[in-house]
Amino acid sequence: AGWAPARRFERVHERLALPGLGRGPRYELLVTLGALGVVRLEPRTLAVGRDAMDPVTSTAKRVLGIGDALTLERRAQELADGVGVPFAALDLAFFNLDRTDEQRATQGARVTADPRRRAAIEAALGLD
């Protein structure tokens, strides 16, 4: 009960590592449970694992320019903090990066990005 929501997220994600339940579904389950207030959980990690086929892990390595898990996690935290987005939004952005509009996961959102926030993110990534 004394764990911070971010630590709880990491530990529960780690302990849910069951055959057939990969990083993506576990991550999404915990983000959803936290957002609904079922359990106090807050992602502050991408929870990268050994699955080289995981789209978030491979995209994060490409975007953040590093394959080392510890450095990758640190850079992801710095990016999320630097542009002011929730960490789960960064995970979703990495998931959607190479997808077409029809393939994108929106998690039910129907709004478009705030142009100022988008500009800040593009500047942080050196895309402006």
Side-chain angles (χ1 to χ4, degrees):
W3 284 0
R7 182 172 184 206
R8 186 175 295 114
F9 183 95
E10 290 177 32
R11 296 301 165 248
V12 173
H13 187 275
E14 178 182 287
R15 283 164 178 76
L16 281 177
L18 303 169
L21 188 59
R23 189 212 78 86
R26 282 184 290 159
Y27 198 94
E28 183 59 32
L29 171 66
L30 298 180
V31 167
T32 301
L33 291 173
L36 292 173
V38 175
V39 181
R40 288 186 48 219
L41 299 167
E42 178 187 335
R44 291 294 299 159
T45 178
L46 292 176
V48 296
R50 296 182 190 102
D51 183 5
M53 300 304 292
D54 178 66
V56 171
T57 301
S58 60
T59 301
K61 287 178 179 180
R62 196 173 73 237
V63 169
L64 300 173
I66 193 76
D68 173 66
L70 292 174
T71 306
L72 182 72
E73 293 290 1
R74 182 182 48 77
R75 287 185 181 177
Q77 288 176 357
E78 289 171 353
L79 178 60
D81 292 342
V83 297
V85 297
F87 205 85
L90 182 63
D91 180 85
L92 183 59
F94 286 153
F95 180 82
N96 281 329
L97 186 67
D98 293 326
R99 298 188 186 315
T100 64
D101 286 343
E102 295 79 30
Q103 296 172 323
R104 294 174 88 83
T106 62
Q107 312 313 84
R110 296 192 186 344
V111 297
T112 58
D114 174 2
R116 290 175 300 204
R117 174 152 289 165
R118 185 178 180 114
I121 292 169
E122 288 174 351
L125 293 173
L127 301 174
D128 55 350

